Amino acid sequence: MDKKLTILGIETSCDETALALVEASGPFRQDKNETKKNSPIFKVLKNIIASQIKIHKKYGGVVPGLAKREHQKNLIPTLQKVLKLSSSKFQVSSFKLQAIDNILHRYPELLKNFKIKIATRDKPLIDLIAVTHGPGLEPALWVGVNFARALSVLWDIPIIGIDHMEGHVAVNLLNTDYSPIKFPAIALAVSGGHTQLILVKNWMEYELLGETLDDAAGEAFDKVARMLKLPFPGGPHIEKLGKKGDPRKFDLPRPMEKSGDYNFSFSGLKTAVRYTLEKLNKKEIQTQKADMAASFQQAIVDVLISKTIKAAKEYNTKTIMLAGGVAANQKLKKELQEEIKRELPDAQYLVPQIKLATDNGVMIAIAGYLRYQNGYVSDWKVLEANSNKLITEN
Ligand code: KG4
Ligand code: ZN
């Protein structure tokens, strides 16, 4: 058994300030001779999410500047919930304080609190910091990245930048009972920003088979929810309302279902919903709202499933994984499972735990372990270069 590592995962790419502490051990990659299986073991010690939904709700979507402001406010209190930090007798060197000033000077409030509430505390037992460095809303992302960099300097521990979507995929490892994932695998990654079909040949060996040409699946859920006057984020509300509706009531398009490739397009579906609603009077909208939610959800789910199954067959994949916020959708999970049973009965099927489907720090810590175990320890310079560049642009 490899040495246990304790990893702090930090995720601020969108509207959640999400931090987690995960203990990890065991190998995390199948080597060429298959002697070393990918069967890591994870224990989630803490998983804290400070959600900004209430703030963005009134705008019907995430406002990047507000997200940045809220992350600055929430990072330290969230870290304090994740870690027990006790007072230190030691003084931090002026050299380190200068470095921290340089990293956080664009966030004066965060810097001030960092010096008072974090830099005066003992170094916690953490071996590694993993932080989302993209893709996402840049002003939001870089608060998290720079906070992670400041912690890394303060505590002298390595830092790894993580791709948000890799995190979403990797969190499926918590559901494997620690048996190795069989490759190749197909991952359907569906979130508010992305819709991707990814061929996972091994961990860290990905091939993008297709993606959305316009709206992401989650974005389509959010926009249609808005048309139906449901709160943001719309996915869970459409799902809830759709349970009371008839999914066959409205004959909506299944865009690109038969396009022959693995790309998606959801803006036509969204427009079809709008046109249909425009033809209804207020009373009809009220009585048929649940039918529309159900019909729209069915159309999206049908397209996602048919392309995933097609890709899994073409690439003879042994595993099918769902990833991203839309993977919280019960209808998608259940109908994909039924289709896999019918079409690919031998395939392993993995879905993230519902509370880990949407953004969280656990997934970033897990992907951090994956990268760390495979020699990615020196992202620091890349992060530094990128963050400096992007910060000046913001
Ligand atoms: O992964 P995520 O938390 O954030 C991004 O990386 O974008 O995904 C958020 C998206 C939102 O668009 C939200 O409406 C959608 O996931 N979502 C759902 C459900 N729960 C969240 N969509 C459909 N059904 C759900 N139950
Ligand atoms: Zn996400």
Side-chain angles (χ1 to χ4, degrees), residues 369-386:
Y369 184 63
L370 156 71
R371 294 267 154 191
Y372 191 68
Q373 277 244 323
N374 290 282
Y376 287 75
V377 277
S378 55
D379 261 16
W380 162 256
K381 287 259 159 11
V382 178
L383 285 176
E384 192 170 37
N386 279 347

Side-chain angles (χ1 to χ4, degrees), residues 45 74 95 102 111 113 152 160 164 180 193 205 227 233 238 241 255 259 264 281 315 328 347 353 377:
L45 305 177
N74 294 339
F95 173 76
N102 289 344
L111 174 61
N113 284 325
S152 153
I160 294 190
H164 182 81
E205 280 177 39
M227 292 179 208
I238 296 238
L241 183 63
S259 63
F264 300 89
N281 63 36
Y315 290 92
Q353 293 171 21
V377 277

Side-chain angles (χ1 to χ4, degrees), residues 128 154 312 336 340 388:
L128 176 69
L154 179 69
L336 181 56
I340 291 169
N388 283 339

Side-chain angles (χ1 to χ4, degrees), residues 164 168 191-193 218-219 221-222 233-236 239 324-326 328-329 358-359:
H164 182 81
H168 273 307
S191 69
E219 193 181 353
F221 268 97
D222 295 340
E239 171 163 28
V326 183
N329 187 281
T358 44
D359 293 350

Side-chain angles (χ1 to χ4, degrees), residues 11 13-16 135 164-165 168 190-194 216-222 232-240 297 323-330 354 357-360 363:
E11 153 62 44
S13 70
C14 196
D15 57 344
E16 320 276 16
H164 182 81
M165 297 314 283
H168 273 307
V190 269
S191 69
H194 291 84
E219 193 181 353
F221 268 97
D222 295 340
F232 174 83
H237 298 283
I238 296 238
E239 171 163 28
K240 194 168 164 220
Q297 178 175 249
V326 183
N329 187 281
Q330 289 168 25
I354 190 150
T358 44
D359 293 350
N360 62 83
M363 67 187 206

